[in-house]
């Protein structure tokens, strides 16, 4: 008779699983929101990735982000479609940039700047995949200013939200006292 070893989950494992579920839920919610331009979405699940990166490190952020891409595509019925690969390429490049950026001075590179860097990397990964695989024509690159603007706006917004969520509980009270 086979004997199975039992995995014991810690409270931290449960918390990370909840964060991954939140990221997946945000991905599903975003899929329901119509977009004026295909591929332009706010990337709300990236807020969760930034929080996980800050609280648990790069390795855990990679797991949460890739789990979000995989589970989101399975739940949306887009696994192994071009949309899945676009999402995956954006996530992989943004995670690589975040991995490099974690070596930068933290006092200059907080949640907002990391979010903007990740957003630009995400769109760069997607545009590269479109150009080299789906539509290999220079016409795709004419859209890059539009996508870059969206990356800047959504990266800034998501970074501000992540920074607010990562701030100490009474930081806003102290800021009001100083002003």
């Amino acid at each position: 008779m086979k004997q199975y070893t039992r995995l014991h989950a810690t409270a931290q494992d449960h918390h990370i699983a909840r964060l991954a579920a939140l990221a997946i839920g945000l991905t599903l919610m975003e899929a329901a929101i119509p977009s004026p331009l295909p591929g332009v979405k706010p990337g709300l699940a990236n807020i969760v990735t930034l929080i996980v990166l800050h609280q648990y490190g790069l390795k855990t952020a990679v797991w949460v982000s890739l789990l979000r891409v995989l589970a989101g595509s399975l739940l949306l019925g887009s696994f192994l479609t071009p949309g899945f690969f676009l999402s995956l390429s954006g996530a992989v490049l943004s995670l690589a940039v975040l991995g490099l950026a974690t070596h930068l001075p933290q006092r200059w590179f907080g949640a907002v700047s990391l979010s903007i860097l990740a957003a630009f990397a995400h769109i760069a990964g997607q545009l590269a995949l479109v150009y080299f695989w789906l539509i290999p024509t220079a016409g795709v690159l004419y859209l890059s200013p539009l996508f870059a603007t969206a990356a800047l706006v959504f990266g800034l917004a998501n970074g501000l939200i992540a920074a607010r969520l990562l701030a100490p509980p009474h930081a806003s009270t102290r800021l009001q006292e100083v002003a």
Side-chain angles (χ1 to χ4, degrees), residues 63-119:
W63 274 110
V64 168
S65 185
L66 295 180
L67 180 61
R68 173 190 58 83
V69 170
L70 179 64
S73 71
L74 288 170
L75 291 169
L76 292 169
S78 63
F79 183 62
L80 298 182
T81 66
F84 165 75
F85 289 108
L86 287 168
S87 181
L88 182 63
S89 66
V92 167
L93 193 56
S94 68
L95 288 167
V97 166
L98 286 174
L100 292 173
T102 57
H103 300 293
L104 298 172
Q106 285 188 352
R107 69 179 194 191
W108 293 322
F109 293 93
V112 175
S113 55
L114 291 177
S115 178
I116 292 170
L117 287 173

Side-chain angles (χ1 to χ4, degrees), residues 3 14-15 32 41 73 78 80-83 88 126 132 145 165-166 169 172 174:
Q3 190 141 35
H14 289 277
H15 186 66
K41 294 182 180 180
S73 71
S78 63
L80 298 182
T81 66
L88 182 63
Q126 289 183 329
F132 290 112
L165 292 172
L166 288 169
S172 61
R174 278 187 252 132

Side-chain angles (χ1 to χ4, degrees), residues 46-66:
N46 296 325
I47 297 167
V48 177
T49 302
L50 289 168
I51 291 169
V52 170
L53 176 69
H54 183 266
Q55 291 181 343
Y56 299 104
L58 181 63
K59 183 179 175 183
T60 306
V62 168
W63 274 110
V64 168
S65 185
L66 295 180

Side-chain angles (χ1 to χ4, degrees), residues 5-18:
T5 57
R6 187 168 204 162
L7 294 176
H8 298 283
T10 65
Q12 181 176 340
D13 293 333
H14 289 277
H15 186 66
I16 292 168
R18 283 191 295 275

